[in-house]
Amino acid sequence: MNDVSIPKHASSRRPDLSNGFLLGLAMLLVAACIAAAVAYAFDTASRPGDTPHQIAAMLGVVLLLGPLAFFLAKRMGYAASPPWWFAVHALGATLGAVAILFHASAGSFATPASIPLLLMLFLCIQGVLARVFLSRRLSFLFARSFQSFNFHEPLEIDRQALREVIERKEAQLETLDPVAQEATFSPRLRHFLTQPVAALRYQALMEKELRLVGARRRAGRTLSSWRRLHLLAAVLFYLGMLGHVVVMLFFAGYAAGEGEIYWWHLAAWGR
């Protein structure tokens, strides 16, 4: 009897992170939060701009660029190996958050800088929970047949309207990407930058298709909204992080007020 098996080296090239590993990352983050709280309560000598804490902040910022790189690579079509990029996303976010928590533990949480810190923690926890508990159901958002949902009640789909939407998508796709397949195509960042009108029209058709098949309605409010909430929180976090970095490096005089500028900086504007 001929056995057909997948070579070991083929599967090892996919660094899929297991649910247990992701939950381990979440536990690491919880432990880092507890350690930061203890340090904040008992270590009154350290300051966030001291050399070790500032180095941790810089390392954390670099690591937290991993999820942003994943987002851009995926939407620009350069994420040839999604599992690798997801590993960068998860590990970069967690380790970056641990480094930022060490930096923040020497400061005060009653400052505007705490807002991106809280957003960072929310993103990490929400991302792990969504990946572990909602990822299986997430695939149903992209199904066109009610059997894919495996729910109790079949959907009543307006097949004529659905056919018309698909035909319009195929026609619009001729403008966006003539060699792409309608069933698997979604506009990427480069499409929105180079052909914004066509990309927005195609995105609107995708949304209409999802409504026709009842994907988000059947998936539930939590599943249909978590990704948008994650993206919104991520945008706010990166804007907050960028603002904090710019202020501390270039507007050190403003950040220090009447106090000492004791951290490494590029300019003391604002004094």
Side-chain angles (χ1 to χ4, degrees), residues 93-267:
T94 304
L95 298 179
V98 170
I100 294 297
L101 282 169
F102 174 72
H103 164 70
S105 66
S108 172
F109 290 101
T111 65
S114 298
I115 297 176
L117 177 67
L118 293 174
L119 286 170
M120 176 190 70
L121 295 176
F122 169 78
L123 285 166
C124 291
I125 298 300
Q126 189 217 19
V128 169
L129 292 178
R131 178 63 173 78
V132 172
F133 298 107
L134 297 180
S135 60
R136 185 176 180 183
R137 293 181 61 197
L138 183 62
S139 61
F140 299 147
L141 288 177
F142 305 98
R144 286 178 180 162
S145 174
F146 68 82
Q147 288 89 350
S148 301
F149 289 86
N150 195 28
F151 292 159
H152 299 294
E153 300 177 2
L155 290 172
E156 296 181 3
I157 300 177
D158 187 340
R159 299 188 180 279
Q160 178 60 34
L162 181 61
R163 185 179 301 109
E164 293 175 357
V165 168
I166 294 174
E167 290 175 352
R168 290 172 61 189
K169 286 178 63 181
E170 290 173 343
Q172 193 69 51
L173 194 56
E174 291 295 322
T175 302
L176 282 172
D177 194 338
V179 299
Q181 297 294 321
E182 176 274 331
T184 58
F185 176 82
S186 60
R188 295 170 176 167
L189 182 60
R190 60 184 176 87
H191 296 117
F192 286 102
L193 293 176
T194 58
Q195 303 179 74
V197 175
L200 288 172
R201 287 176 178 172
Y202 195 91
Q203 185 69 36
L205 290 170
M206 290 176 60
E207 295 291 332
K208 185 174 182 179
E209 181 184 4
L210 288 175
R211 288 195 300 272
L212 284 172
V213 300
R216 292 196 172 98
R217 175 171 57 85
R218 295 300 299 271
R221 179 174 297 178
T222 301
L223 182 59
S224 63
S225 61
W226 80 263
R227 182 175 176 273
R228 295 181 180 183
L229 180 60
H230 195 76
L231 290 175
L232 176 60
V235 169
L236 295 176
F237 163 70
Y238 280 111
L239 289 176
M241 185 178 72
L242 176 62
H244 182 69
V245 170
V246 169
V247 169
M248 301 309 294
L249 291 185
F250 294 97
F251 295 87
Y254 169 79
E258 299 298 327
E260 173 193 3
I261 305 177
Y262 64 92
W263 61 90
W264 178 82
H265 57 282
L266 296 174

